[in-house]
Amino acid sequence: MRITSADVIVTCPGRNYVTLKITTEDGTTGLGDATLNGRELSVASYLRDHVCPLLVGRDSGRINDIWQYLYRGAYWRRGPVTMTAIAAVDCALWDVLGKRVGKPVHQLLGGAARDGVMVYGHASGQSVDDLLDSVGGFLDQGYRAVRVQAAVPGLESTYGLHHPGTGHTYEPADAAVPTDNVWHTPAYLDFAPRMMKAVRERFGYGFHLLHDVHHRLSPLEAAQLGRSLEPYRMFWIEDPTPAEDQEAFRTIRQHTTTPLAVGEVFNTIWDCQYLITERLIDYIRMSVSHSGGITHLRRIFDLADLYGVRTGSHGAGDLSPVSFAAALHLDLTVPNFGIQEYMGHLEPASEVFRTSYTFADGYMHPGDAPGLGVEIDEEAAARYPYEARYLPVNRRLDGSMHDW
Ligand code: GCO
Ligand code: MG
């Protein structure tokens, strides 16, 4: 079935989302998420100016060929903008295919390998007491896995915390110019084990405990952190060091048995090949919408399976419900599934995106609606125009730049 149009919808229901809508000659539409936090319009332009004109007239069923055409055909390969754009096309084509044959995407991928997808929720607090309340709330809702983050004493701000009043999500891209934060590693290394100890002392060991370091440590600092957290039996620590220095993970591994997860800033199989084949990580955390879509992420997960690395896909609120649904379809099918991040979305997003995924007892299911199971209300989307927003930046106490 030929593609007749490909349109880009930019909307800001709580935060910016870029959505690609592909339409075929029988009127079927498919959606793909093209959101790249803080750089949304670059992907919108890449799609509108360079990709959409190439799609019209192509056979929507030739998903593999279109993927290769866009990847190899650009000559300039990889990178977050290109791979997010390709991902949006790929997911939209899987959505079209599912709707055309009347099946959910997970069935097109060979069917479910499990009954549900274990997700982790985001507990956080401005103090350890607040954090404990937040963890308790997630456990009461049935979550089997909780990521914990709390304000580091002595620092004015800490990443990964809910803004008061927004429920389960926080929005890291929150200002028209990047907000300057101050980071001090010794304060964090002192605090992190005390935070985990408080959580385990209050709630015990009957659930999975996760934590995001957000690329802030040196390899040896990360090794120290991993060791200090061993008594609390973490499910993982995420992004302990900036991910481009892959040998760093060997150093961390030599010193600690705390499992390591990385990948939310990766875009292709080439970014994680070494980490996987050298068994330097335990979980690969790439997202469907920043890593070339279902077609490419499936290959990455297959490579990971060969080396005992499990999946733990990025599922932050800056990936749209379309991306989250695609992740759930893939998660349901892969043998080496580990866990799925579930941050949820700010309330206005539900006016724009109608979803069919469900949560029960700590597990999610993408639903059995044909395709990805997400619809967009374009009138609602138009009520929330784009707003320029940036992720924060980090500086050390002496004013020099650090990784955020
Ligand atoms: C996570 C991430 C996010 C990122 C965000 C950047 O683990 O969910 O670290 O919170 O900061 O996706 O856009
Ligand atoms: Mg993270």
Side-chain angles (χ1 to χ4, degrees):
M1 192 60 64
R2 302 275 150 202
I3 296 171
T4 49
S5 63
D7 301 291
V8 178
I9 302 157
V10 182
T11 179
C12 187
R15 71 153 339 280
N16 290 312
Y17 294 114
V18 180
T19 308
L20 176 70
K21 183 176 99 176
I22 289 181
T23 309
T24 56
E25 55 195 332
D26 62 352
T28 307
T29 57
L31 300 179
D33 179 22
T35 310
L36 186 62
N37 201 0
R39 295 292 184 272
E40 293 88 355
L41 298 184
S42 322
V43 188
S45 160
Y46 191 97
L47 284 167
R48 280 186 180 131
D49 298 332
H50 305 292
V51 172
C52 294
L54 304 179
L55 295 176
V56 175
R58 277 176 203 284
D59 179 351
S60 65
R62 295 190 62 172
I63 300 176
N64 286 314
D65 181 62
I66 291 178
W67 198 98
Q68 295 292 330
Y69 180 77
L70 295 176
Y71 182 80
R72 291 170 195 269
Y75 185 66
W76 311 109
R77 296 181 185 189
R78 307 167 64 187
V81 174
T82 303
M83 298 311 291
T84 301
I86 294 178
V89 174
D90 184 75
C91 289
L93 293 176
W94 280 102
D95 195 22
V96 164
L97 183 62
K99 287 179 180 164
R100 290 198 46 239
V101 301
K103 291 193 185 304
V105 166
H106 64 85
Q107 281 194 22
L108 306 182
L109 298 172
R114 55 190 50 75
D115 298 330
V117 169
M118 182 171 68
V119 293
Y120 67 92
H122 274 215
S124 73
Q126 293 297 336
S127 65
V128 170
D129 281 345
D130 278 3
L131 170 66
L132 295 177
D133 288 348
S134 174
V135 173
F138 280 95
L139 296 178
D140 288 347
Q141 289 172 66
Y143 279 83
R144 292 155 194 270
V146 184
R147 175 186 116 154
V148 301
Q149 314 288 142
V152 176
L155 298 188
E156 240 171 62
S157 58
T158 306
Y159 66 99
L161 310 186
H162 301 149
H163 289 291
T166 57
H168 287 168
T169 47
Y170 79 99
E171 172 45 72
D174 59 356
V177 291
T179 308
D180 266 27
N181 289 354
V182 177
W183 177 252
H184 189 48
T185 297
Y188 167 75
L189 288 179
D190 175 50
F191 174 65
R194 290 194 278 124
M195 162 168 69
M196 299 312 165
K197 184 167 192 267
V199 173
R200 284 305 195 197
E201 276 179 1
R202 168 74 72 88
F203 298 105
Y205 285 76
F207 66 101
H208 299 300
L209 185 58
L210 298 82
H211 177 64
D212 188 352
V213 188
H214 224 272
H215 327 275
R216 282 153 194 238
L217 302 179
S218 72
L220 272 185
E221 289 162 351
Q224 287 164 8
L225 174 73
R227 268 203 187 174
S228 70
L229 298 184
E230 279 171 19
Y232 313 114
R233 258 181 276 144
M234 306 299 295
F235 187 90
W236 75 36
I237 54 172
E238 169 185 336
D239 293 338
T241 52
E244 55 267 44
D245 177 4
Q246 306 207 341
E247 270 305 315
F249 286 79
R250 198 185 301 282
T251 305
I252 306 170
R253 260 239 189 301
Q254 279 162 353
H255 296 288
T256 181
T257 57
T258 294
L260 304 176
V262 71
E264 67 182 46
V265 297
F266 293 163
N267 318 115
T268 71
I269 199 165
W270 306 103
D271 298 331
C272 56
Q273 176 192 17
Y274 184 76
L275 288 173
I276 290 172
T277 58
E278 291 290 310
R279 300 175 191 265
L280 301 182
I281 55 171
D282 301 282
Y283 295 91
I284 183 70
R285 288 196 74 259
M286 292 161 75
S287 72
V288 109
S289 59
H290 294 161
S291 310
I294 291 170
T295 299
H296 193 58
L297 194 55
R298 188 153 66 135
R299 297 182 70 200
I300 294 170
F301 288 175
D302 279 344
L303 175 71
D305 192 28
L306 289 180
Y307 294 91
V309 174
R310 292 197 285 156
T311 73
S313 285
H314 189 203
D318 50 88
L319 311 173
S320 91
V322 178
S323 171
F324 189 69
L328 290 178
H329 282 281
L330 185 54
D331 292 338
L332 203 61
T333 66
V334 294
N336 52 329
F337 171 74
I339 200 165
Q340 169 67 50
E341 179 179 22
Y342 178 45
M343 195 192 283
H345 297 92
L346 295 167
E347 181 40 43
S350 64
E351 290 173 39
V352 174
F353 297 99
R354 209 168 48 249
T355 59
S356 28
Y357 44 76
T358 51
F359 173 92
D361 298 327
Y363 294 100
M364 292 192 73
H365 194 283
D368 290 313
L372 294 174
V374 181
E375 296 302 330
I376 191 164
D377 177 337
E378 293 184 57
E379 279 177 22
R383 290 201 295 273
Y384 296 100
Y386 169 79
E387 292 174 24
R389 288 191 194 162
Y390 285 89
L391 286 163
V393 296
N394 245 345
R395 291 183 188 276
R396 303 182 193 95
L397 295 184
D398 70 356
S400 55
M401 290 296 297
H402 192 58
D403 300 286
W404 184 77

